[in-house]
Amino acid sequence: MNPDTTRPTDEIVDVLIIGSGASGAAVAWSLADTKMRILCLEQGDWIKPTDFPSNGRDWEARRYSDFDISPNRRKRDTDYPVNDDNSPMKVANFNGVGGGTILYTAHYPRMHPSDFKVKTLDGIADDWPITYWDLEPYFTENDRMMGVSGLAGDPAYPPHQPNMPPIPLGKTGTRHARAMNKLGWHWWPSDISVASTDYEGRAKCINLGHCTPGCAQGAKASTDITYWPLAIRAGVELRTRCRVREITTNEQGMASGVIYYDANGEERFQPAEMVILAANGIGTPRLLLNSASARFPNGLANSSGLVGKNLMLHPWPQVFGYVDEEVDGDRAPMTVMWSKEFYETDPARGFLRGYTLQFSRGTGPANEAITSMAAGRLPWGKDHHKTYRNLLYRRMQIGIACEDLPEEHNRVTLDPVLKDSHGIPAAKIDYTISENTRRMMEHAIARASEILTTAGAKNLFASRTALNSPGHLLGTARMGTDPARSVVNEWGRSHDVKNLFIVDGSVWVTSGGVNPTSTIQAIALYIADQIKQRLANLFD
Amino acid sequence: MPAAPTPDLTQAEAHDLRRLAGFMIPASPEFNVPGADDETIFADIIRSLGRDTKDVRTALGWLNAMSDGKFADLPEQRAEIIAMALLNQESSVITALGRAVLQCYYRDDRIYRSIGREPRAPFPKGHTLEQGDWTLLDAVRGRERMWRDVDGYGT
């Protein structure tokens, strides 16, 4: 029911999805075969391939402007601000059709089986109510939809078969691999959602450079070119430049729809039989907290008090070094291989849980100068040119995905002052890195330094929270069977509001030590399947 | 050298920035490259300040204070000392100033050629990436299973 009859009301839909990114696209596509009327509201635009930076000579500069990973610097009119002053990790996202998949590196590891049993195995945090094996068919389905390049046979993972051959090792990967073999440590070509061959209408990778700020070739999988064309063809409606302000509820405590601002800035009411949140680990709790009402005074779906809490961001140290020959630089996808040597818990290391070492290539001419200048490696003045030429294309780097454990004091709340361009209260995050994670980070930095030194790199540099750190957004509406200790149940339905579902990274119980996109999408497909199997009594 | 007029900086600020840019990245006969105060490069810098305009103006304000408002007129050696004192400050403002200069300098055609790079956008031509040595993976292929079989599904 429209709470204000002066506000225009749209025609009711069966399913309303908020957000068109990694999870929203997957759930929309999966539900399309129900023939229900499905609408997705997305606050951003479609991004045309010709909009991506690699089309122009300013391609590196645009990483610091309209394709910056921080919404606070990017400041597109489709972005919303996030107060991340009280956090050493900064928020990364993108608002547009495809969401964060527009602006990610395409490194595509799955979570490991042990990641779902943290409490049982290591006595910390909580177990998930689902297992790797519950998700396994959805990982496979999602891989097929997104298109994953990689190599079967990794001893660090249960068997799975990537869709395309791996991205070449190149000079950089060869050098990393040789060092890992000298040390006797595990490595394997990464699963990457970049097409190494032509795939399902997508042209293969032609090595445009750093994949993060979008792929003009379309070789990188983003949901605007994978899931969405199929979902739309199957009848799903996707409405862009529509920013949701709040989810409304009726007398029965069920979600009745949303109030949103359309592309013209007009406030409208969209009624719906079912609402699915796919707005990421910041946007989702923000919306739930902004949907507080007399019936739900602490925010919607928040009887546990856990909406916004347990924010996990994946602290991501990076270690660089420079070798005495030119390697791949930016002339290839950034990520090349991973190591799981230190992934599973070994208490002798002084911390619980573990991390992935993510081996990367270098960076482009401008970014090499900018980052080296900021780190003090590159001087101004007469020595600039000579020093620069000893850095360019010689960088080898290792990023480290540290498992971040849930802690309630790490949280998303509503900022009392900051608002977006529609006057909607913005999110504020408070976040600290735990002592366990700090010990893990130091261990990882030492190992990465050892690897780079073995690879012949010198002039090493480690950043503990990287410039443009990834800020994966997880955990703020966790999944569980106990309504007092979780926000949604084991198939994504709110404990409190029985026609409200959450499918994004908010539902994560723990974070694993991997980039989350593959698992986020597998969970979204799993929840969609749960919905389809329970349609007869979905809201009971 | 006169500085180009800009809607974001005053004439005096633009003049100071151009002199400062010449100290940041001087021309080099050895590498046959212009400095960042080169007319074409500087015009690009001014045109591209964008999100860094406020920080660049702040940095120029600091420079102005450090030189008693006379940076443009100082002798070369004295001006360089003040410029380096400014640039050696650890501040996000100085980082932004550096980014504003570097992102334009390192996309100029002449600079690209000097570092052996074709002056073009990455798309549509892309780059060539060699396969590398996949035989190195033989050392890993034979390893025992590493993942923990917590659910009893292991093979």
Side-chain angles (χ1 to χ4, degrees):
Chain A
M1 178 188 300
N2 187 343
D4 179 352
T5 53
T6 63
R7 186 185 295 125
T9 299
D10 300 326
E11 197 175 328
I12 191 167
V13 295
D14 297 312
V15 181
L16 173 61
I17 300 167
I18 304 170
S20 71
S23 62
V27 80
W29 169 80
S30 179
L31 290 178
D33 61 20
T34 64
K35 305 301 179 192
M36 292 190 287
R37 182 168 178 194
I38 302 169
L39 167 67
C40 178
L41 297 180
E42 164 56 52
Q43 63 189 314
D45 292 307
W46 285 96
I47 309 295
K48 297 192 292 289
T50 50
D51 291 337
F52 287 127
S54 53
N55 287 283
R57 292 294 301 280
D58 56 353
W59 63 281
E60 291 190 276
R62 290 180 69 193
R63 289 185 57 188
Y64 298 99
S65 57
D66 60 335
F67 278 86
D68 197 285
I69 64 171
S70 166
N72 296 330
R73 179 169 173 87
R74 198 169 56 231
K75 289 185 178 170
R76 288 172 179 241
D77 62 350
T78 48
D79 285 319
Y80 57 90
V82 177
N83 180 349
D84 55 15
D85 291 345
N86 193 32
S87 170
M89 303 277 295
K90 303 306 175 189
V91 168
N93 69 13
F94 191 79
N95 297 300
V97 177
T101 63
I102 296 290
L103 212 63
Y104 74 142
T105 61
H107 201 237
Y108 216 65
R110 302 176 177 188
M111 291 257 279
H112 294 232
S114 62
D115 291 327
F116 298 86
K117 293 280 177 68
V118 172
K119 179 79 168 176
T120 299
L121 291 171
D122 298 320
I124 48 169
D126 289 292
D127 289 346
W128 289 57
I130 56 176
T131 70
Y132 175 92
W133 303 101
D134 292 324
L135 295 180
E136 206 277 340
Y138 305 100
F139 277 125
T140 303
E141 183 173 45
N142 184 58
D143 283 359
R144 181 178 59 80
M145 289 296 292
M146 294 291 278
V148 176
S149 298
L151 187 66
D154 186 350
Y157 269 106
H160 67 280
Q161 178 65 57
N163 316 90
M164 288 167 276
I167 297 292
L169 281 178
K171 289 181 180 170
T172 308
T174 296
R175 200 152 178 155
H176 278 307
R178 199 166 283 135
M180 292 300 278
N181 284 356
K182 273 188 195 167
L183 292 164
W185 290 346
H186 167 267
W187 65 275
W188 200 260
S190 296
D191 286 358
I192 299 177
S193 53
V194 170
S196 60
T197 59
D198 290 352
Y199 185 80
E200 298 290 328
R202 279 159 52 205
K204 71 176 182 179
C205 175
I206 54 171
N207 306 302
L208 297 179
H210 197 326
C211 307
T212 302
C215 180
Q217 170 81 342
K220 183 178 92 167
S222 47
T223 61
D224 58 327
I225 59 171
T226 57
Y227 279 103
W228 274 115
L230 297 176
I232 290 168
R233 203 176 305 152
V236 177
E237 181 188 357
L238 172 55
R239 221 177 276 165
T240 57
R241 284 192 167 258
C242 293
R243 176 172 284 162
V244 176
R245 190 183 81 193
E246 65 181 90
I247 300 166
T248 57
T249 54
N250 60 22
E251 295 79 3
Q252 288 74 44
M254 301 282 275
S256 56
V258 301
I259 298 169
Y260 74 100
Y261 297 95
D262 70 11
N264 299 316
E266 186 175 18
E267 187 179 307
R268 307 185 68 86
F269 177 64
Q270 174 62 63
E273 300 289 354
M274 180 198 315
V275 174
I276 299 178
L277 268 164
N280 80 45
I282 302 277
T284 285
R286 176 192 181 212
L287 191 47
L288 292 172
L289 294 171
N290 271 323
S291 302
S293 62
R295 203 173 288 113
F296 298 99
N298 297 321
L300 197 59
N302 197 22
S303 64
S304 66
L306 291 174
V307 168
K309 292 183 178 172
N310 297 304
L311 174 66
M312 296 174 284
L313 296 175
H314 276 152
W316 200 281
Q318 292 196 46
V319 186
F320 311 109
Y322 292 86
V323 294
D324 58 2
E325 64 170 349
E326 278 198 10
V327 281
D328 299 329
D330 65 306
R331 298 161 292 194
M334 183 182 181
T335 57
V336 54
M337 51 192 255
W338 61 42
S339 172
K340 304 290 184 174
E341 185 70 25
F342 306 102
Y343 196 84
E344 304 288 358
T345 296
D346 177 354
R349 296 179 193 139
F351 57 88
L352 296 172
R353 309 301 299 155
Y355 55 86
T356 298
L357 294 164
Q358 181 178 321
F359 296 80
S360 305
R361 305 181 210 266
T363 191
N367 200 48
E368 181 61 69
I370 290 166
T371 55
S372 288
M373 186 64 67
R377 285 187 294 274
L378 180 61
W380 298 115
K382 60 182 173 50
D383 293 332
H384 177 91
H385 299 288
K386 189 172 182 184
T387 304
Y388 177 78
R389 281 157 178 77
N390 285 326
L391 298 172
L392 183 65
Y393 304 140
R394 294 172 184 228
R395 181 192 292 217
M396 310 233 329
Q397 58 189 42
I398 300 174
I400 303 155
C402 293
E403 173 153 3
D404 200 8
L405 292 167
E407 298 178 285
E408 289 191 18
H409 62 85
N410 289 333
R411 64 192 186 277
V412 177
T413 55
L414 296 179
D415 192 282
V417 177
L418 190 64
K419 292 180 170 54
D420 67 21
S421 58
H422 289 93
I424 306 170
K428 174 180 187 292
I429 66 170
D430 293 276
Y431 177 86
T432 56
I433 298 173
S434 74
E435 187 52 36
N436 185 70
T437 306
R438 285 194 182 282
R439 287 197 294 270
M440 187 189 302
M441 290 166 68
E442 294 309 315
H443 185 275
I445 289 168
R447 298 294 80 72
S449 301
E450 205 174 337
I451 295 163
L452 289 170
T453 301
T454 304
K458 296 187 170 117
N459 200 8
L460 299 193
F461 178 84
S463 67
R464 276 154 180 78
T465 50
L467 188 70
N468 283 350
S469 52
H472 299 150
L473 313 172
L474 306 167
T476 50
R478 61 188 352 216
M479 171 184 274
T481 53
D482 180 358
R485 295 294 307 146
S486 54
V487 177
V488 298
N489 70 10
E490 66 274 24
W491 40 280
R493 191 183 74 178
S494 159
H495 290 299
D496 300 346
V497 182
K498 297 198 184 305
N499 64 342
L500 175 66
F501 292 78
I502 303 175
V503 297
D504 57 50
S506 306
V507 305
W508 285 39
V509 179
T510 55
S511 71
V514 295
N515 312 61
T517 305
S518 168
T519 308
I520 285 174
Q521 293 184 294
I523 292 171
L525 293 175
Y526 158 79
I527 292 173
D529 234 25
Q530 294 293 311
I531 290 171
K532 288 191 279 191
Q533 289 172 28
R534 298 163 195 266
L535 277 179
N537 55 358
L538 189 60
F539 306 147
D540 290 351
Chain B
M1 285 181 290
T6 159
D8 295 322
L9 303 182
T10 66
Q11 191 74 24
E13 286 173 329
H15 197 278
D16 283 354
L17 178 59
R18 187 163 186 178
R19 190 170 199 204
L20 178 62
F23 290 125
M24 294 167 86
I25 310 179
S28 169
E30 180 186 358
F31 294 102
N32 191 28
V33 289
D37 57 347
D38 168 83
E39 186 172 355
T40 303
I41 294 171
F42 187 71
D44 189 15
I45 292 170
I46 289 290
R47 197 170 47 240
S48 308
L49 288 175
R51 288 161 176 78
D52 290 322
T53 301
K54 186 179 169 192
D55 282 337
V56 169
R57 294 195 74 175
T58 300
L60 293 171
W62 294 352
L63 183 71
N64 194 49
M66 292 165 72
S67 56
D68 294 328
K70 298 172 185 166
F71 184 69
D73 302 322
L74 289 175
E76 190 75 358
Q77 196 173 9
R78 178 68 187 146
E80 183 174 10
I81 289 169
I82 290 177
M84 291 304 153
L86 173 79
L87 296 168
N88 285 333
Q89 294 182 39
E90 283 193 22
S91 162
S92 61
V93 166
I94 301 302
T95 300
L97 169 67
R99 181 168 55 232
V101 171
L102 292 164
Q103 70 182 9
C104 296
Y105 187 80
Y106 284 107
R107 67 185 180 208
D108 181 84
D109 285 2
R110 294 160 292 174
I111 309 306
Y112 257 43
R113 288 195 188 94
S114 80
I115 58 176
R117 187 153 176 146
E118 199 179 342
R120 62 173 173 84
F123 185 80
K125 195 172 172 184
H127 299 285
T128 301
L129 175 65
E130 65 181 58
Q131 275 294 331
D133 185 0
W134 284 108
T135 66
L136 291 165
L137 196 57
D138 293 345
V140 191
R141 287 181 195 273
R143 284 182 70 145
E144 294 285 308
R145 187 187 74 211
M146 296 169 66
W147 56 278
R148 285 197 279 185
D149 183 19
V150 296
D151 305 294
Y153 281 76
T155 54

